Amino acid sequence: MALRYIGQKAAQQIDEELMSAAGAFSIDQLMELAGLSCAQALAKSFPVKTHARVLVCCGPGNQGGDGLVAARHLHHFSYNPTIYYPKPGGKDLYQRLLKQARNLGIPVVDTEGFPASLEGADVVMDAIFGFSFHPPVRAPFDKVLTALAESSKPILSVDIPSGWGVEEGRQRLTNTQGEEVATIDPEVLISLTAPKEGSRNYTGKHWLGGRFVPDDLAKRYELNLPEYPGVDQVVELPPSGKL
């Protein structure tokens, strides 16, 4: 059976179930597993010999937390990550993830340092917006998305390309002043838990990560998840998720 693409409501319900008393996962666990999957997807797509310098662009929410975790794992995979994190989340979890990255000597830059970091990168990990994003795009991310879209650097997006609708896919974007914001087209996408409706027509290299979904939950939501090979945390999906 074909892999199921889920909408925003189902994605939120699955997350809530995983972190419920019955699911028993903590957000720390899920973020760690998701970030590890993202790092492995990047490593499988962009070899360290040619793409060692990774700019990890993190938003202030859970998507950014996945990016912080991924940056740490990429460091241990012998990559040289730099974190762009202009609006750090205020929760203790995000502060600890950022501290863990700094303890490894991973550089963290703000919006002023973003252009030079983008110029010096071999590949970009887009962990800015997740499936809860709704336009318009607020500063400073309006300029960041345009810069990424206009750059020649390859991009790996986490879960859904930043700025895309979780159900609509690629969409026209504006900032809070009504000015147009460019839309990114990543070379690689890693969906987490299950692919989202907005990525149904995505044509680049597509990975699925999230080797933690309980069998009964996957069955109830009819996710029809593929088997992960060996001990990998990611599995590559064929076009349109046809298995």
Side-chain angles (χ1 to χ4, degrees), residues 183-228:
T183 305
I184 64 173
D185 284 306
E187 283 79 356
V188 181
L189 173 66
I190 174 169
S191 293
L192 297 173
T193 307
K196 310 307 181 285
E197 280 287 354
S199 64
R200 183 178 292 278
N201 296 318
Y202 176 74
T203 58
K205 183 182 287 291
H206 194 174
W207 299 96
L208 176 65
R211 197 174 184 174
F212 50 76
V213 179
D215 293 343
D216 65 329
L217 188 151
K219 185 176 181 179
R220 280 192 287 109
Y221 281 89
E222 299 180 330
L223 298 180
N224 302 322
L225 299 176
E227 290 191 12
Y228 286 78

Side-chain angles (χ1 to χ4, degrees), residues 31-142:
M31 201 168 283
E32 187 68 27
L33 292 166
L36 175 58
S37 297
C38 294
Q40 190 177 66
L42 187 140
K44 284 180 172 291
S45 304
F46 302 101
V48 67
K49 289 184 178 180
T50 54
H51 294 80
R53 299 171 298 177
V54 185
L55 177 60
V56 183
C57 298
C58 298
N62 290 349
Q63 197 86 342
D66 294 343
L68 293 174
V69 173
R72 170 162 42 83
H73 286 291
L74 286 169
H75 170 88
H76 291 303
F77 293 169
S78 297
Y79 286 82
N80 298 315
T82 294
I83 296 170
Y84 168 61
Y85 196 33
K87 293 186 174 182
K91 295 181 180 179
D92 176 67
L93 169 59
Y94 300 119
Q95 298 302 318
R96 287 188 285 109
L97 292 176
L98 186 60
K99 177 64 173 174
Q100 291 166 11
R102 290 187 184 278
N103 286 345
L104 294 174
I106 298 174
V108 180
V109 299
D110 56 15
T111 299
E112 184 176 351
F114 170 77
S117 297
L118 177 59
E119 178 64 28
D122 298 313
V123 60
V124 175
M125 178 176 287
D126 156 38
I128 299 174
F129 300 135
F131 60 71
S132 60
F133 167 77
H134 294 286
V137 185
R138 293 174 174 80
F141 297 113
D142 53 346

Side-chain angles (χ1 to χ4, degrees), residues 161-185:
S162 289
W164 288 31
V166 67
E167 295 175 355
E168 302 84 357
R170 181 173 174 149
Q171 59 187 339
R172 181 177 179 273
L173 294 175
T174 60
N175 61 16
T176 53
Q177 286 74 46
E179 301 167 332
E180 189 163 353
V181 176
T183 305
I184 64 173
D185 284 306

